[in-house]
Amino acid sequence: MNEMTEGAMNVANNVASETVNQMQSFFHINEIVEYVKEPAHIVKFSTGFIAILIFWGIYRLIRMFIKRGALKRFEPSTAKTITKVVSYCFYILIVMYVLGLFGINLSAIWGAMGIAGVAVGFAAQTTVSNLISGVFIVTEKTMKIGDFIEVDGVSGTVVQVGLLSILVNTPDNQLIRIPSSAIINTKLKNYSTYDFRRYVFDVSVDYSTDLDKALEVLKGVPAKCQFVVNDNPNYAPKVLLTDCRDSGIGMNLIVWCERPNFFDLKNEVCKNVVKAFSENGINIPYNRVDVSVLTDKTIPSLSFKTEN
């Protein structure tokens, strides 16, 4: 029984020893130990370790200043993206520095990275285009989170600004992703940039209308609308005669309001214009359709003659 136990222990020791040898051979542990034992290499590793610690401290300071500056100038999501880019650049530089300590030729690595970059660029042209466009969007600061924008027929509130795309929440509560390249290549409307918005109400009056009276009536409408800006000379209401149309003379009432009140203003102006014209006997022309009802007496009878 003892002989069997000793045999099993010998087999286990042999297996363990062989496993250790294989691991040392696979990871080149012996070569690494011999390499580290040399005094020159010890100095090199010590110097490199101290240099990495210094680089890390400098990186943390630079990252902190960049993050603070980005938060002051950009949105939090954009500042986070910029911070990530700085971190990735630092990690790449540290890896290159460590490889240089081991005497690895970096020119070959740079050449391989260049070839790989060209290949990736051809394979992901759309992604690269969106990335470059996203950089322009972030630097131009044409929008921010919470702005109401319109791009290529899509309108909504911005909920996220990224380098590759932006996310908007539409008025009917749908989430739409708009690629950054689409924003650069098409017209962008930002309705939230300025505090005041203009509204042009277009209306027609009959050709028989007294135009002076119509102008006076239309000029009195803004004073009856609570959302119209009446106390700022830069945004004073205006009334214009625009053109002669098929059924009447065109008139425009131009008013301004604070941005959050825009839709309430539209309802208010339309209601007061129609009410003011009606009270002053001013006719708003509209298309009419004459309908005639045909009875049995008015319908002509048709007779058919059959020949045998």
Side-chain angles (χ1 to χ4, degrees):
M1 188 68 180
N2 294 331
E3 293 179 357
M4 293 179 62
T5 303
E6 291 179 357
M9 293 181 62
N10 292 331
V11 172
N13 291 331
N14 293 333
V15 172
S17 177
E18 184 64 24
T19 302
V20 171
N21 292 332
Q22 291 293 334
M23 293 290 291
Q24 290 179 347
S25 176
F26 181 79
F27 291 104
H28 302 280
I29 294 177
N30 294 329
E31 289 83 351
I32 294 175
V33 171
E34 293 296 329
Y35 183 85
V36 174
K37 284 182 178 180
E38 297 184 12
H41 295 160
I42 294 176
V43 174
K44 183 183 294 186
F45 275 110
S46 302
T47 305
F49 182 74
I50 295 173
I52 291 175
L53 290 179
I54 295 173
F55 292 156
W56 177 259
I58 296 174
Y59 155 72
R60 296 291 295 182
L61 290 175
I62 294 175
R63 184 173 179 269
M64 181 182 65
F65 285 118
I66 291 177
K67 186 176 181 180
R68 289 181 179 178
L71 286 174
K72 292 180 180 179
R73 298 185 59 185
F74 304 106
E75 293 297 316
S77 59
T78 304
K80 185 178 180 180
T81 302
I82 295 174
T83 305
K84 285 184 177 179
V85 172
V86 174
S87 299
Y88 294 151
C89 293
F90 170 76
Y91 296 147
I92 292 174
L93 292 176
I94 289 298
V95 170
M96 293 298 177
Y97 177 76
V98 172
L99 292 177
L101 289 178
F102 285 95
I104 297 175
N105 187 7
L106 299 180
S107 59
I109 296 178
W110 284 114
M113 291 178 62
I115 296 173
V118 173
V120 171
F122 279 108
Q125 294 183 17
T126 304
T127 302
V128 174
S129 176
N130 288 328
L131 183 62
I132 296 174
S133 301
V135 173
F136 283 107
I137 293 173
V138 170
T139 54
E140 287 180 349
K141 297 187 293 185
T142 54
M143 71 186 75
K144 63 181 182 297
I145 296 176
D147 287 353
F148 190 86
I149 65 170
E150 180 180 347
V151 179
D152 197 19
V154 177
S155 58
T157 304
V158 179
V159 296
Q160 181 177 333
V161 179
L163 292 179
L164 295 178
S165 63
I166 68 169
L167 299 180
V168 297
N169 184 18
T170 62
D172 55 348
N173 203 27
Q174 294 183 358
L175 185 66
I176 297 181
R177 175 182 176 273
I178 303 178
S180 298
S181 59
I183 299 174
I184 294 296
N185 296 327
T186 57
K187 294 181 180 179
L188 166 68
K189 291 183 180 180
N190 192 335
Y191 296 100
S192 303
T193 302
Y194 302 108
D195 295 330
F196 295 93
R197 287 191 62 179
R198 187 187 71 169
Y199 175 57
V200 180
F201 184 80
D202 184 76
V203 66
S204 297
V205 296
D206 194 87
Y207 274 104
S208 61
T209 304
D210 184 351
L211 295 182
D212 293 332
K213 180 180 179 181
L215 289 172
E216 288 299 323
V217 171
L218 204 57
K219 288 179 181 179
V221 170
K224 302 176 183 179
C225 302
Q226 62 173 334
F227 297 112
V228 173
V229 177
N230 291 297
D231 55 354
N232 191 330
N234 295 325
Y235 304 105
K238 293 182 176 62
V239 177
L240 302 176
L241 292 172
T242 57
D243 55 0
C244 296
R245 302 172 182 175
D246 294 337
S247 57
I249 299 175
M251 302 179 69
N252 281 346
L253 173 61
I254 304 174
V255 293
W256 293 80
C257 69
E258 295 181 357
R259 177 167 41 83
N261 302 327
F262 182 73
F263 292 105
D264 293 328
L265 172 76
K266 295 178 69 174
N267 294 331
E268 191 178 49
V269 169
C270 180
K271 179 180 67 176
N272 284 282
V273 168
V274 174
K275 183 179 179 180
F277 278 6
S278 178
E279 291 175 349
N280 289 272
I282 299 175
N283 182 42
I284 300 177
Y286 57 91
N287 295 330
R288 296 176 175 85
V289 178
D290 293 332
V291 179
S292 299
V293 180
L294 300 179
T295 63
D296 293 339
K297 295 181 179 180
T298 58
I299 298 176
S301 61
L302 298 177
S303 61
F304 298 91
K305 182 179 181 181
T306 305
E307 296 181 357
N308 293 329

